[in-house]
Amino acid sequence: MEPAIDSGLNTAVERYYDITLDLYEDLWGEHVHHGFWDPGEIPGLNGADRHAATDRLVRELVDYAGVPAGSRVLDVGCGIGGPAMYLAGPLGCTVEGVTLSALQAARANEKAQAAGVAERARFHQLDALSTGYPDGSFGVVWAVESLMHIADRETFFAESMRMLAPGGTLAVATWSVRDGELDEDEQELVRQILVHQVMPDFSSLEEHERLAAAAGFADVATVDWSSSVANSWDPGFAQIQQFERGRTVMRDLARERGVDVLGFFHAGPLMKKGFDTGVITYGALRATKPEQDSSQAPPPGLVP
């Protein structure tokens, strides 16, 4: 079955990251994703700054999913390559990164060259649901905060299963939504976040787990990291206030790049409210491709 590709959504996601690439990098540094803190830690006081915290999230996912050193990794939604620099550097992996944004792929390749890992980390403008990589190409499929942009998550898990070698690892970190019914105000908050962040919808962590199991993965598990990452949207960490205080800067950005660039700034307080109310959650998923594909197993009674 050919993957269902939403070209309109892909174009919107590509544009969003093209027009915000320098904003994210200038404000957040190498990693365009959440940070990770221990309970009670406050960034800049008794907790890590944003750079150290985002580095830590990568290490936490490596540890949680059990990513083996030296693996061949497909980095889905690689962004500007922050996590890949760790995977290809200290962890010694070989990384193929894919993103819808040509500008992100180019920047990630520049960073790999500067870091001396260009031979082990390459980045491409490709749709994660239609990469063209052969079956069993990777030991790890890695997706940090990219699954929210993919509408057809069922196909994501199926493609991950196809591209993984037997025994391979799926490692996901993702924004999510509280499982169960939301009231009208909660639904409106989610709707606004989705619009400003160019996302089709959210799945709960429980739904991610069900989709992975339905795709045939074994040892599927999730962990809720909401309280560990929520500091990411505190104004001091997000670093967005410096722009919000300058109306001229905001106006000039809108004129230069289009008004949709302002979604970057509106998302901060919305995400903080989402975490504060428990509507928005965040977690990691790990799963393993079985050593033998059950669809290829001989029927009962025919095993020698």
Side-chain angles (χ1 to χ4, degrees):
M1 181 179 67
E2 288 296 318
I5 298 172
D6 186 334
S7 59
L9 174 62
N10 284 1
T11 299
V13 172
E14 177 186 1
R15 170 169 166 73
Y16 175 76
Y17 282 108
D18 281 352
I19 65 177
T20 59
L21 183 147
D22 59 327
L23 298 177
Y24 273 117
E25 189 166 12
D26 288 347
L27 295 176
W28 287 11
E30 182 170 321
H31 295 287
V32 184
H33 59 71
H34 287 66
F36 192 104
W37 292 267
D38 289 323
E41 289 186 337
I42 300 173
L45 294 179
N46 62 340
D49 65 17
R50 67 183 186 274
H51 299 296
T54 50
D55 283 344
R56 180 177 173 185
L57 187 136
V58 174
R59 297 194 304 272
E60 290 287 340
L61 183 57
V62 166
D63 290 344
Y64 179 70
V67 175
S71 300
R72 186 163 193 251
V73 180
L74 175 65
D75 185 352
V76 173
C78 59
I80 57 173
M85 297 303 108
Y86 176 78
L87 296 173
L91 210 60
C93 296
T94 300
V95 182
E96 296 289 326
V98 299
T99 172
L100 293 171
S101 168
L103 294 181
Q104 282 191 333
R107 180 68 184 118
N109 280 313
E110 289 175 0
K111 289 163 63 66
Q113 188 69 42
V117 295
E119 291 185 358
R120 294 198 303 277
R122 300 185 302 171
F123 304 91
H124 318 275
Q125 184 188 27
L126 286 172
D127 187 315
L129 303 187
S130 184
T131 61
Y133 290 114
D135 295 359
S137 294
F138 298 96
V140 175
V141 171
W142 168 279
V144 172
E145 300 188 20
S146 55
L147 194 47
M148 313 90 60
H149 291 297
I150 298 175
D152 189 352
R153 290 173 193 141
E154 183 177 353
T155 296
F156 164 80
F157 284 104
E159 273 294 281
S160 297
M161 174 68 81
R162 181 188 69 79
M163 290 185 289
L164 281 170
T169 299
L170 176 63
V172 174
T174 187
W175 306 14
S176 46
V177 69
R178 190 184 70 226
D179 203 31
E181 292 277 338
L182 302 181
D183 64 31
E184 289 185 9
D185 289 342
E186 292 170 336
Q187 291 177 32
E188 178 59 18
L189 174 61
V190 170
R191 187 194 69 80
Q192 291 184 47
I193 291 171
L194 294 173
V195 168
H196 290 308
Q197 293 288 295
V198 197
M199 297 172 183
D201 62 8
F202 287 129
S203 299
S204 67
L205 288 176
E206 293 83 354
E207 179 63 15
H208 284 97
E209 197 166 349
R210 289 190 288 269
L211 288 170
F217 280 98
D219 305 319
V220 181
T222 57
V223 59
D224 190 325
W225 283 346
S226 302
S227 61
S228 298
V229 307
N231 283 334
S232 300
W233 295 101
D234 287 349
F237 174 85
Q239 299 290 306
I240 290 174
Q241 278 188 334
Q242 62 182 282
F243 280 91
E244 291 177 333
R245 286 194 293 265
R247 292 182 177 272
T248 301
V249 173
M250 298 280 281
R251 186 170 57 247
D252 289 347
L253 278 170
R255 286 174 176 169
E256 176 188 345
R257 309 183 191 197
V259 294
D260 46 345
V261 73
L262 300 182
F264 171 86
F265 305 100
H266 293 315
L270 293 171
M271 285 296 293
K272 186 176 189 323
K273 182 178 180 180
F275 277 118
D276 288 348
T277 59
V279 174
I280 299 300
T281 60
Y282 187 107
L285 176 146
R286 66 185 181 201
T288 304
K289 180 172 180 174
E291 289 288 351
Q292 181 180 34
D293 185 345
S294 60
S295 67
Q296 301 300 317
L302 296 184
V303 179

